[in-house]
């Protein structure tokens, strides 16, 4: 039940409407002080009466003496008795009103006392008029009456601040005077003398009436304010409290009490400091150096927005309190505190959340770049101080951008969260894992500097992050590359270590991704070179630095050319030929792939329009370019400009476009198929999707990746069985097949035997210029095998070896070998023209130069002839012709 609200200043119920009796009592000055609109003048009225009382006494003595000397002897005793009685009343009133006990009484009681005194004063003056005898000289009688009237007027003016007293004084004077001597002269004199006090009295009554009306309006406004106050408290946006001089609660908002699980009655009378933790002296409740709530309450000092913790609550709650000390009107007596409060809990929680977001990644919950930098700085300092080490891993996710662009950002975010969980679980207590942004993570490993141990951890990170993920029912595979810096050797500061670990990460990505690399001093030069290459690549389209080569695609049965695959190449003005494995990743990172793709489409269509018959041209489209809404318009424009029939353009896409298996992908297929172009699924079997898309996508051809073709003819290889399954699947779906990477006659025979419809590989020609492609396409009726230039016999091998180039050694595998050269697979790409040394496992070595390089493979020409017979004796070889 809500308690009745009362005015803090008056103690009366707010909104009380006064009755008629209250109105008249207020107008006459007899209402209680709290209800009197002119209560500020009451003290002044009392002071005026007390000041004028001696004057009235003196005037009474002078007037009485004159009266006694003027009247007859018979009237003197009666007049003396009246005069003496009034003097005693004056004296008693004056002395009584000066007593402290009387002054401390209620002010409305003092008003009643003054009114009674005024009544006696007026009656005494009136009785003095009655003693005048008729025999007195008329002029003398008029003077005496006038003196009495003047005294009465003076007394009325003295009591004017209290209208009831003034009326009582004048009425008490007139009644006995006119009753004893009802002469017209006296009546006229009294009437004349009454004009001024009556006018003064009426004016005062009007002023009090106006003040009363104003008070009524103010009372109504206070009532409205009370309702608004109640609504404010009920909204729980704030609350109010009050204490007495002992600090005990005299008022508290009911809603606050409910929030504390208590009743208002239980809290009233209790110390206010019991509501806050540690009595308001908790150092945690206010910033360092600020005065606490307990100090303000004890010192009786006003305070504003002091933060305190609530006591006795199940959950942590914070309040902001403001208050001011209250004193009596004289400013002497302390009455207690009056104040307000608001709940800071949600604001504190928001501040804590903002602070957390400023230090932790919102997506993964891992420490962000700022926190990880501080962690690394601490690790480096401790390592320098204790002559220890601190390792830093920079981790970049491979192929994440494709996932994000094709499956969408929500799936990409879920993937990042999964990566964070795997990393945190793997590193555990050995270090701290953080996210730098995007798909970049880092790991700080204090106290670890052993390279072997760090390599083990890095390999575990790569393996763990490369395991398939299940995202929206789709298996998604990504990889990871790791760059490692060890402080203080690789940097005595956090910035230096981060910069060097970043260089190591670039080296890992340049070496084929999915590997880890330690920082080396030579990486600074490589990084500078890469930046220069990026700058040149941004200008390559405008300067015409790119060109296309075309690799033949032949019919497996007739060996006739049926098409060419367009391959982008870059001849740098100073570097020479730049491998696609070098510039394509850079183009992907800086967003040039769509522009390069459009240029390839337009150029290939223009060249293919010159080829005879139905010779097709195949163009690779990246998943990013495939998702572009402008792709259909680009293809239509290129076909229209070149005049090439749509059926002669074959769009090769990888399984990456199906990561975003949604309506947009299906719509793109539909638009392109409506144009009339063909579709080929490239690198089949090496992606990270499912076979479900074969049922929905309108493919015309499946290209078997060269990783299955290479070595498929070698005894014991399982690739042949995989190829058979792929061909059978394509045949059942009425699709053509192309086997990529055919290089030996054994591989050719295998491809034919399993029913593959088309072949593409070095066996039928390397990528060639546009003019050479035009000549090849024009040789109708001549099988490709008859046009292959005779070459030295080669043998197919699958043998481990090492390649030494630019002072670095890397593992490799020898695929084909002849007396003059070899075809070699290696993780790290080599540039055409590079000098290399081939170190065989049996200890033999030979030097030579790189003649071609593509997709992790390169052809090496030996400087000195190689003895194949000696090799054949050491290891069984399969002759290829």
């Amino acid at each position: 039940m809500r308690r009745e609200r009362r005015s803090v200043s008056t103690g009366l119920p707010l909104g009380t409407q006064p009755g008629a009796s209250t109105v008249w009592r207020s107008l006459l000055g007899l209402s209680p002080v709290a209800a009197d609109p002119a209560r500020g003048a009451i003290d002044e009225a009392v002071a005026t009466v007390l000041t004028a009382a001696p004057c009235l006494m003196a005037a009474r003595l002078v007037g009485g003496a004159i009266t006694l000397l003027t009247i007859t002897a018979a009237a003197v005793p009666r007049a003396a008795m009246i005069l003496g009685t009034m003097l005693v009343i004056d004296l008693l009133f004056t002395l009584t009103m000066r007593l402290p006990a009387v002054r401390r009484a209620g002010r409305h009681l003092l008003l009643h006392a003054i009114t009674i005194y005024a009544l006696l004063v007026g009656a005494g003056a009136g009785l003095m008029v009655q003693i005048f005898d008729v025999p007195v000289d008329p002029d003398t009688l008029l003077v005496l009456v006038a003196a009495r009237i003047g005294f009465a007027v003076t007394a009325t003016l003295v009591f004017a601040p209290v209208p009831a007293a003034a009326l009582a004084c004048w009425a008490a004077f007139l009644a006995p005077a006119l009753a004893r001597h009802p002469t017209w002269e006296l009546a006229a004199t009294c009437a004349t003398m009454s004009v001024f006090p009556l006018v003064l009295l009426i004016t005062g009554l009007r002023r009090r009436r106006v003040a009363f009306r104003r008070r009524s309006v103010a009372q109504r406004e206070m009532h409205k304010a009370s309702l608004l106050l109640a609504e404010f408290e009920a909204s729980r946006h704030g609350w109010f409290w009050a204490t007495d001089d002992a600090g005990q609660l005299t008022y508290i908002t009911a809603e606050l009490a409910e929030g504390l699980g208590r009743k208002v009655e239980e809290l009233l009378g209790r110390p206010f400091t019991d509501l806050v933790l540690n009595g308001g002296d908790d150092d945690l409740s206010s910033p360092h150096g600020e005065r606490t709530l307990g100090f303000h309450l004890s010192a009786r000092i006003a305070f504003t927005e002091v933060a305190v913790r609530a006591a006795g609550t199940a959950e942590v709650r914070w309040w902001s309190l403001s208050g001011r000390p209250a004193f009596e009107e004289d400013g002497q007596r302390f009455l207690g505190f009056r104040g307000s409060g608001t709940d800071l809990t949600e604001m504190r929680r928001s501040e804590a959340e903002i602070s957390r977001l400023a230090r932790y990644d919102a997506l993964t919950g891992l420490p962000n770049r700022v926190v990880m930098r501080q962690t690394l700085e601490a690790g480096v300092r401790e390592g320098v101080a204790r002559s220890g080490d601190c390792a830093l891993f920079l981790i970049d996710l491979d192929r994440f951008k494709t996932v994000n662009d094709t499956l969408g950002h929500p799936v990409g975010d879920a993937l990042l969260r999964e990566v964070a969980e795997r990393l945190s679980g793997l590193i555990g207590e050995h270090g701290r894992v953080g996210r730098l942004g995007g798909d970049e993570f880092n790991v700080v490993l204090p106290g670890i500097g052993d390279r072997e141990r760090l390599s083990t951890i890095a390999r575990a990170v790569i393996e763990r992050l490369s395991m398939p993920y299940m995202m929206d029912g789709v298996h998604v595979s990504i990889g990871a590359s790791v760059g490692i810096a060890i402080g203080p050797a690789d940097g005595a500061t956090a910035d230096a270590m981060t910069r060097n670990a970043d260089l190591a990460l670039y080296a890992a990505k340049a070496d084929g991704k999915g590997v880890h690399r330690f920082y080396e001093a030579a990486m600074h030069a490589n990084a500078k070179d890469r930046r220069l290459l990026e700058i040149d690549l941004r200008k390559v389209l405008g300067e015409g630095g790119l060109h296309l080569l075309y690799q033949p695609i032949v019919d497996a049965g007739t060996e006739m050319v049926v098409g060419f695959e367009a391959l982008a190449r870059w001849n740098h003005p100073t570097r020479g030929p730049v491998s696609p494995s070098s510039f394509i990743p850079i183009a992907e990172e800086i967003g040039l792939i769509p522009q390069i793709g459009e240029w390839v489409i337009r150029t290939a269509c223009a060249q293919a329009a010159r080829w005879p018959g139905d010779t097709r041209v195949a163009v690779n489209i990246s998943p990013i370019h495939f998702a572009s809404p402008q792709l259909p318009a680009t293809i239509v424009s290129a076909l229209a400009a070149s005049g090439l029939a749509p059926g002669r353009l074959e769009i090769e896409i990888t399984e990456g476009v199906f990561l975003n298996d949604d309506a947009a992908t299906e719509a793109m297929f539909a638009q392109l198929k409506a144009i009339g172009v063909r579709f080929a699924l490239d690198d089949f079997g090496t992606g990270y999707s499912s076979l479900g898309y074969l049922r929905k996508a309108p493919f015309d051809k499946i290209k078997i990746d060269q990783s299955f073709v290479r070595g498929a003819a070698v005894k014991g290889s399982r690739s042949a069985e995989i190829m058979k399954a792929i061909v059978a699947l394509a045949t059942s779906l009425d699709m053509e097949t192309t086997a990529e990477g055919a290089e030996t006659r054994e591989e050719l025979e295998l491809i034919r035997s399993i029913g593959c419809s088309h072949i593409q590989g070095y066996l039928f020609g390397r990528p060639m210029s546009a003019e050479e492609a035009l000549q090849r396409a024009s040789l109708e009726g001549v099988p490709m095998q008859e046009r292959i230039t005779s070459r030295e016999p080669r043998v197919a091998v699958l043998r481990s070896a090492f390649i030494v180039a630019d002072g670095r050694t890397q593992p490799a595998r020898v695929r084909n070998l002849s007396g003059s050269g070899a075809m070699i697979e290696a993780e790290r790409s080599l540039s055409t023209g590079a000098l290399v040394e081939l170190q065989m496992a049996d200890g033999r070595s030979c030097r030579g130069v790189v003649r071609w390089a593509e997709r992790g493979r390169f052809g090496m020409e030996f400087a000195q002839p190689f003895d194949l017979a000696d090799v054949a004796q050491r290891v069984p070889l399969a002759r290829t012709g």
Side-chain angles (χ1 to χ4, degrees):
M1 181 180 295
R2 186 180 297 276
R3 294 181 297 133
E4 182 181 46
R5 296 186 178 277
R6 293 178 175 271
S7 170
V8 175
S9 59
T10 66
L12 294 177
L14 295 178
T16 302
Q17 297 299 325
S21 61
T22 304
V23 173
W24 283 107
R25 288 171 60 195
S26 178
L27 292 177
L28 295 174
L30 298 177
S31 62
V33 177
D36 197 309
R39 58 181 178 272
I42 294 175
D43 289 338
E44 181 181 352
V46 173
T48 302
V49 171
L50 293 178
T51 302
C55 298
L56 289 176
M57 188 183 302
R60 193 186 302 280
L61 288 173
V62 174
I66 296 174
T67 301
L68 292 175
L69 294 176
T70 306
I71 62 176
T72 61
V76 170
R78 186 178 179 184
M81 181 184 65
I82 295 175
L83 181 61
T85 301
M86 294 308 302
L87 288 175
V88 171
I89 292 174
D90 291 340
L91 183 62
L92 289 175
F93 176 78
T94 302
L95 295 177
T96 302
M97 294 296 289
R98 293 184 181 277
L99 293 176
V102 176
R103 297 295 300 274
R104 287 197 299 268
R107 287 188 173 87
H108 65 288
L109 297 177
L110 296 179
L111 293 176
H112 286 75
I114 292 174
T115 302
I116 295 173
Y117 174 63
L119 182 65
L120 296 175
V121 170
L127 290 175
M128 289 298 291
V129 176
Q130 292 183 1
I131 65 173
F132 300 154
D133 293 331
V134 178
V136 178
D137 181 77
D139 294 332
T140 302
L141 178 61
L142 186 60
V143 172
L144 291 176
V145 172
R148 294 293 94 193
I149 292 176
F151 176 79
V153 171
T154 302
T156 301
L157 294 177
V158 169
F159 297 121
V162 183
L167 286 174
C169 179
W170 189 249
F173 166 73
L174 291 180
L178 294 177
R180 179 68 181 223
H181 301 283
T183 62
W184 68 272
E185 294 89 350
L186 181 60
T189 302
C190 290
T192 303
M193 298 297 292
S194 299
V195 172
F196 177 73
L198 286 176
V199 171
L200 184 64
L201 182 61
I202 292 172
T203 302
L205 288 174
R206 287 181 176 177
R207 285 199 301 268
R208 296 181 70 84
R209 183 179 181 183
V210 172
F212 187 83
R213 288 180 176 176
R214 291 176 178 174
R215 175 183 176 275
S216 299
V217 173
Q219 195 82 333
R220 288 193 296 269
E221 294 299 324
M222 290 178 65
H223 180 63
K224 293 179 182 178
S226 176
L227 295 177
L228 293 175
L229 179 62
E231 291 295 332
F232 178 78
E233 289 183 335
S235 67
R236 300 182 182 273
H237 292 305
W239 39 273
F240 299 93
W241 55 274
T243 67
D244 57 16
D245 56 351
Q248 296 178 337
L249 284 169
T250 59
Y251 175 81
I252 190 168
T253 300
E255 284 74 14
L256 176 63
E258 293 174 4
L260 295 174
R262 309 288 293 274
K263 295 181 179 180
V264 173
E265 293 75 11
E266 297 177 10
L267 297 177
L268 295 180
R270 293 187 56 185
F272 178 63
T273 52
D274 287 355
L275 301 184
V276 297
L277 195 64
N278 295 338
D281 287 321
D282 189 355
D283 292 337
L284 297 176
S285 65
S286 59
H288 179 69
E290 291 190 4
R291 294 172 175 175
T292 61
L293 174 65
F295 171 82
H296 289 93
L297 293 176
S298 60
R300 299 178 180 177
I301 299 176
F303 54 91
T304 304
E305 297 182 353
V306 174
V308 297
R309 277 187 58 180
T313 55
E315 60 177 347
V316 176
R317 302 203 67 82
W318 289 89
W319 294 338
S320 174
L321 299 179
S322 300
R324 297 186 65 83
F327 295 91
E328 281 192 338
E329 295 182 2
D330 55 8
Q332 298 298 320
R333 184 187 173 193
F334 173 65
L335 300 178
F337 270 88
R338 310 287 185 268
S340 62
T342 56
D343 197 317
L344 293 179
T345 305
E346 292 303 323
M347 187 181 74
R348 284 293 180 102
R349 288 175 181 170
S350 298
E351 291 175 351
E353 180 65 14
I354 292 173
S355 177
R356 189 190 69 80
L357 292 177
R359 297 179 58 82
Y360 291 88
D361 176 51
L363 178 63
T364 63
L366 294 177
N368 62 11
R369 184 185 299 270
V370 175
V371 176
M372 292 304 294
R373 187 178 189 279
Q374 296 171 351
T375 302
L376 181 59
E377 287 179 342
V380 172
R381 280 198 307 269
E382 185 175 354
V384 172
R386 300 184 179 181
S387 300
D389 295 318
C390 178
L392 171 65
F393 283 14
L394 287 187
I395 304 170
D396 187 81
L397 302 182
D398 302 330
R399 301 187 299 276
F400 173 77
K401 189 176 187 299
T402 302
V403 176
N404 210 34
D405 291 338
T406 55
L407 279 179
H409 290 284
V411 174
D413 291 345
L415 180 60
L416 289 176
R417 286 191 290 268
E418 181 68 22
V419 168
E421 292 180 5
R422 293 188 182 187
L423 266 179
S424 300
L426 179 63
I427 299 301
E429 300 297 328
H430 298 292
R432 193 172 194 181
V433 180
R435 182 186 177 211
L436 300 179
D439 61 344
E440 295 184 1
F441 296 81
N442 65 346
V443 179
V444 177
L445 299 165
I448 303 179
D450 181 68
R451 288 194 169 221
E452 187 62 32
R453 183 180 177 188
L454 292 173
S455 294
T456 301
I457 297 175
R459 285 193 293 269
V461 167
I462 295 172
E463 180 181 358
R464 179 69 171 157
L465 297 186
S466 299
M467 292 180 178
Y469 301 80
M470 179 62 71
M471 296 287 132
D472 284 350
V474 178
H475 285 282
V476 176
S477 296
I478 60 173
S481 302
V482 181
I484 307 173
I486 306 173
D490 295 341
T493 65
D495 292 337
M497 282 193 64
T498 301
R499 181 178 63 252
N500 293 336
D502 199 35
L503 292 175
L505 176 61
Y506 273 119
K509 296 178 76 67
D511 288 346
K513 302 179 180 180
V515 296
H516 71 277
R517 291 291 180 264
F518 287 92
Y519 167 74
E520 298 176 2
M523 291 179 179
H524 279 289
N526 295 336
K528 181 179 179 181
D529 183 70
R530 186 185 183 283
R531 285 193 295 270
L532 294 175
L533 193 64
E534 178 182 325
I535 294 173
D536 293 339
L537 185 59
R538 292 183 182 276
K539 300 182 295 183
V540 69
L541 288 176
E543 297 177 354
L546 288 181
H547 67 279
L548 292 182
L549 296 181
Y550 301 88
Q551 186 172 25
I553 302 173
V554 302
D555 185 276
T558 65
E559 297 185 6
M560 301 296 296
V561 175
V562 295
F564 293 87
E565 180 181 359
L567 304 170
R569 294 295 184 266
W570 181 16
N571 283 328
H572 194 277
T574 58
R575 299 171 184 264
V578 180
S579 171
S581 61
S582 297
F583 75 82
I584 291 298
I586 297 177
E588 291 177 344
E589 292 180 12
I590 63 179
L592 283 180
I593 283 296
Q595 294 92 316
I596 293 177
E598 180 178 351
W599 175 84
V600 170
I601 292 173
R602 294 184 180 278
T603 305
C605 288
Q607 180 61 36
R610 302 168 55 196
W611 298 340
D614 296 330
T615 305
R616 295 191 292 264
V617 61
V619 176
N620 290 282
I621 299 296
S622 72
I624 297 175
H625 195 191
F626 188 82
S628 173
Q630 287 75 35
L631 178 60
T634 299
I635 292 177
V636 170
S637 175
L639 293 174
S642 63
L644 184 70
R648 295 178 59 189
L649 175 61
E650 194 167 79
I651 302 297
E652 292 189 4
I653 58 176
T654 63
E655 296 170 340
V657 300
F658 297 101
L659 286 176
N660 191 16
D661 191 9
D662 57 9
T665 303
E666 296 181 6
M668 180 60 71
F669 272 113
Q671 292 182 59
L672 296 180
K673 201 62 180 176
I675 296 173
V677 300
R678 291 168 53 87
F679 284 102
L681 179 60
D682 197 12
D683 298 337
F684 181 77
T686 63
Y688 30 82
S689 189
S690 66
L691 296 178
Y693 53 79
L694 291 178
R695 178 170 45 86
K696 297 182 293 183
F699 287 110
D700 301 285
K701 178 189 291 186
I702 294 178
K703 300 189 72 172
I704 303 174
D705 188 72
Q706 58 186 338
S707 62
F708 297 111
V709 178
R710 293 174 190 169
V714 177
K715 186 177 181 179
S717 173
R718 302 177 63 182
S719 296
E721 300 301 324
I722 296 176
M723 292 173 62
K724 289 179 182 179
I726 295 175
V727 171
L729 175 64
T731 302
S732 65
L733 295 174
D734 196 23
M735 298 179 186
E736 299 176 354
T737 51
T738 296
E740 296 182 287
E743 297 185 350
T744 67
R745 293 187 181 276
E746 287 79 6
E747 292 171 352
L748 174 61
E749 294 303 323
L750 174 64
I751 292 170
R752 284 173 173 171
S753 67
I754 63 177
C756 192
S757 58
H758 297 87
I759 305 173
Q760 179 181 351
Y762 289 167
L763 181 64
F764 294 100
R766 299 180 182 277
M768 58 191 69
S769 67
E771 294 302 323
E772 291 175 323
L774 177 60
Q775 294 176 9
R776 290 288 182 91
S778 300
L779 296 177
E780 298 183 9
V782 182
M784 283 294 296
Q785 281 293 312
E786 296 182 12
R787 299 197 302 270
I788 297 177
T789 303
S790 175
R791 61 184 178 185
E792 188 176 356
R794 297 182 301 164
V795 292
V797 298
L798 184 60
R799 192 172 184 186
S800 298
F802 289 94
I803 290 295
V804 180
D806 297 330
R808 301 177 61 182
T809 302
Q810 63 170 319
R813 288 176 294 183
V814 179
R815 284 289 187 178
N816 291 331
L817 187 63
S818 69
S820 61
M823 191 272 287
I824 302 169
E825 293 180 347
E827 293 183 356
R828 182 172 175 268
S829 301
L830 298 179
S831 302
T832 303
L835 299 178
V836 297
E837 179 182 354
L838 174 64
Q839 297 178 348
M840 306 292 288
D842 58 7
R844 299 185 65 189
S845 65
C846 56
R847 298 178 183 274
V849 62
V850 175
R851 291 306 182 189
W852 59 269
E854 185 178 51
R855 295 188 178 182
R857 307 170 68 189
F858 65 90
M860 174 183 177
E861 181 181 356
F862 298 145
Q864 299 293 333
F866 195 80
D867 189 356
L868 283 179
D870 184 58
V871 173
Q873 294 176 0
R874 295 170 183 269
V875 71
L877 303 177
R879 183 167 297 277
T880 63

